[in-house]
Amino acid sequence: MANAIKTCAVIGTGVIGAGWAGRFLAHGLDVVAWDPGPDAEAKLKASLENAWPALTRVGLAKGADLKRCRFVKTVEEAVKGADFVQESAPEVLELKIKLHAQIDAAARPDVIVGSSTSGLLPTDMQAKCRHPERLVVGHPFNPVYLLPLVEVLGGKKTAPASVDRACAFYQSIGMRPMRVKKEIEGFVADRLLEALWRESLHLINDGVATTADIDDAMRFGAGIRFSYMGQMMIYHIAGGDAGMHHFMKQFGPALKLPWTKLVAPELTEDLINKVADGTTAQAKGRTVKELERYRNDCIIEVMEAIARVKKKHGMSPED
């Protein structure tokens, strides 16, 4: 099925939708895009042009070309000839339900429809679909055109074969599909990130740290470790020769100490300004597009370095 896909419809061309378009194009696919926003076509073009140097560096598939992206005026026109549909509309359930009903009515019945939602349940989005069995969540991470992880799950009416087909397709375009074993709001990765985000806001709100302090704590500490080994394996090593069992026995009691505040602080104007002013200062006058190019180079360097070290240690890319 994955090899039969030649044209992808991208519904919604914001940061995530544009990222999908870039990944599809880089893998030699045609893209038909739609977004109702003002200047959406021009913004998509600018996003793709900004991403293309990074995609060129990691390697383009035969026939990959920005000119293979076409912007259309309606949802129906975008999906009617598509072999795969990826929806990346705003996180508003009512909007998603309406949009998926439109997509479902216009797309061929055998075409898989993936949603980039970061937390809404596929069961809810299926509410008005005639073919709910083909709707899946394919939740990526920004920038979609470089980061490989995509969380995949179906709703109560999704056919297991649709999840299989979606995973096969995502894998064929260089992604690492992770099947979420139960339908749950926020899925897996965003739930972990949400806990970190909430605690960061408390530290800023309480005057413990600035936005720069928090970013330094991550990028010069845990962030470096997380780039090559996840939290569970990091803690397994921290337990010494006895591994995780010893780590849990030694550090487990600390979990009962009131170190963290998982309930989010109130988003007062003062807190919002502290966070926004802090990150603006950190940018040092660089535009978002400039920061995206810097980020892209860093991601590629890290991924290439990890691949070299894995090879040195006899590990496969999947390890």
Side-chain angles (χ1 to χ4, degrees), residues 85-106:
V85 178
Q86 188 73 35
E87 168 271 311
S88 304
E91 294 288 271
V92 179
L93 180 57
E94 293 75 15
L95 172 62
K96 297 270 196 185
I97 291 173
K98 180 181 178 181
L99 200 50
H100 278 285
Q102 286 181 269
I103 294 169
D104 186 68

Side-chain angles (χ1 to χ4, degrees), residues 226-260:
F226 286 160
S227 70
Y228 62 85
M229 189 176 286
Q231 185 174 37
M232 294 300 166
M233 289 306 296
I234 287 170
Y235 285 177
H236 173 70
I237 290 175
D241 291 339
M244 180 63 85
H245 191 271
H246 176 68
F247 178 85
M248 294 290 285
K249 290 285 187 180
Q250 183 175 6
F251 297 102
L255 294 173
K256 295 184 178 180
L257 299 176
W259 284 0
T260 59

Side-chain angles (χ1 to χ4, degrees), residues 166-221:
C167 286
F169 171 62
Y170 290 136
Q171 192 164 14
S172 77
I173 56 171
M175 305 194 83
R176 184 164 180 140
M178 184 186 78
R179 294 174 185 248
V180 179
K181 310 225 172 2
K182 290 185 177 181
E183 194 178 21
I184 183 174
E185 293 90 344
F187 319 134
V188 177
D190 274 358
R191 280 179 167 249
L192 298 174
L193 292 172
E194 180 76 6
L196 181 62
W197 173 239
R198 288 169 187 257
E199 192 62 24
S200 296
L201 292 179
H202 275 295
L203 292 171
I204 294 168
N205 197 46
D206 294 345
V208 176
T210 64
T211 59
D213 293 333
I214 287 168
D215 282 352
D216 284 352
M218 291 304 301
R219 62 183 181 144
F220 297 124

Side-chain angles (χ1 to χ4, degrees), residues 47-227:
S47 295
L48 290 173
E49 288 175 346
N50 203 53
W52 207 247
L55 286 165
T56 301
R57 181 178 168 187
V58 297
L60 300 174
K62 183 179 179 180
D65 195 326
L66 284 174
K67 294 178 182 177
R68 294 179 69 173
C69 181
R70 181 166 59 94
F71 201 92
V72 296
K73 295 182 178 180
T74 67
V75 173
E76 290 74 16
E77 189 179 357
V79 307
K80 66 181 180 181
D83 304 310
F84 190 92
V85 178
Q86 188 73 35
E87 168 271 311
S88 304
E91 294 288 271
V92 179
L93 180 57
E94 293 75 15
L95 172 62
K96 297 270 196 185
I97 291 173
K98 180 181 178 181
L99 200 50
H100 278 285
Q102 286 181 269
I103 294 169
D104 186 68
R108 298 194 316 269
D110 62 316
V111 171
I112 299 296
V113 179
S115 174
S116 302
T117 180
S118 59
L120 298 177
L121 299 180
T123 293
D124 295 334
M125 291 187 289
Q126 292 171 328
K128 295 184 179 180
C129 292
R130 293 183 302 174
H131 300 285
E133 70 280 354
R134 43 91 167 266
L135 191 152
V136 303
V137 163
H139 172 230
F141 295 83
N142 187 35
V144 182
Y145 52 85
L146 290 181
L147 294 181
L149 182 63
V150 56
E151 295 180 306
V152 186
L153 65 149
K156 291 179 180 177
K157 296 181 180 180
T158 303
S162 295
V163 178
D164 293 340
R165 291 171 61 198
C167 286
F169 171 62
Y170 290 136
Q171 192 164 14
S172 77
I173 56 171
M175 305 194 83
R176 184 164 180 140
M178 184 186 78
R179 294 174 185 248
V180 179
K181 310 225 172 2
K182 290 185 177 181
E183 194 178 21
I184 183 174
E185 293 90 344
F187 319 134
V188 177
D190 274 358
R191 280 179 167 249
L192 298 174
L193 292 172
E194 180 76 6
L196 181 62
W197 173 239
R198 288 169 187 257
E199 192 62 24
S200 296
L201 292 179
H202 275 295
L203 292 171
I204 294 168
N205 197 46
D206 294 345
V208 176
T210 64
T211 59
D213 293 333
I214 287 168
D215 282 352
D216 284 352
M218 291 304 301
R219 62 183 181 144
F220 297 124
I224 294 175
R225 299 187 305 186
F226 286 160
S227 70

Side-chain angles (χ1 to χ4, degrees), residues 273-306:
N273 289 336
K274 283 181 180 177
V275 176
D277 292 347
T279 52
T280 298
Q282 285 177 259
K284 296 181 179 178
R286 299 180 182 92
T287 68
V288 169
K289 285 289 187 288
E290 289 174 328
L291 291 171
E292 284 177 347
R293 292 193 292 272
Y294 164 73
R295 174 204 64 191
N296 292 349
D297 280 344
C298 287
I299 289 173
I300 294 169
E301 291 284 350
V302 169
M303 291 195 301
E304 289 179 346
I306 292 170

